[in-house]
Amino acid sequence: MRQCLGCREMFPKRELIRVVRSPEGEISLDFHGKKPGRGAYLCPSPDCLKRARKAKALERAFALPIPDPVYDALAAQMEGGGLDG
């Protein structure tokens, strides 16, 4: 079970999207849970991403500031899908 950073509810890991900070510091969505790096979890809902952004939940989870273009890219990845597995 993992907690969504947006709605703060607990879900099985497979029902959530992993946001990962790679060892190089790059932030991206990991739809399959296999990328190396520090992970945080979000529901597959753009609303949860918006809530996490407003609460600065990803900044706290990764202990670094996250610029707006990164959030925009995460939103585009989320809307683009990739949840097939």
Side-chain angles (χ1 to χ4, degrees):
M1 298 291 281
R2 299 289 187 270
Q3 187 176 51
C4 171
L5 290 178
C7 64
R8 310 294 293 169
E9 291 185 36
M10 298 294 284
F11 294 95
K13 186 177 173 181
R14 292 185 178 268
E15 292 180 16
L16 299 172
I17 298 172
R18 183 172 181 246
V19 182
V20 64
R21 183 190 73 202
S22 71
E24 295 79 32
E26 180 181 326
I27 307 288
S28 64
L29 294 181
D30 181 9
F31 292 101
H32 301 287
K34 303 286 185 194
K35 290 183 182 179
R38 171 117 174 108
Y41 295 85
L42 287 170
C43 292
S45 161
D47 289 338
C48 280
L49 179 60
K50 288 177 189 172
R51 282 188 224 145
R53 182 178 187 172
K54 184 176 179 181
K56 297 188 182 283
L58 289 174
E59 281 90 341
R60 284 195 309 276
F62 296 135
L64 60 92
I66 298 177
D68 287 341
V70 172
Y71 277 111
D72 297 339
L74 292 176
Q77 282 183 27
M78 191 174 279
E79 289 170 8
L83 289 173
D84 58 339

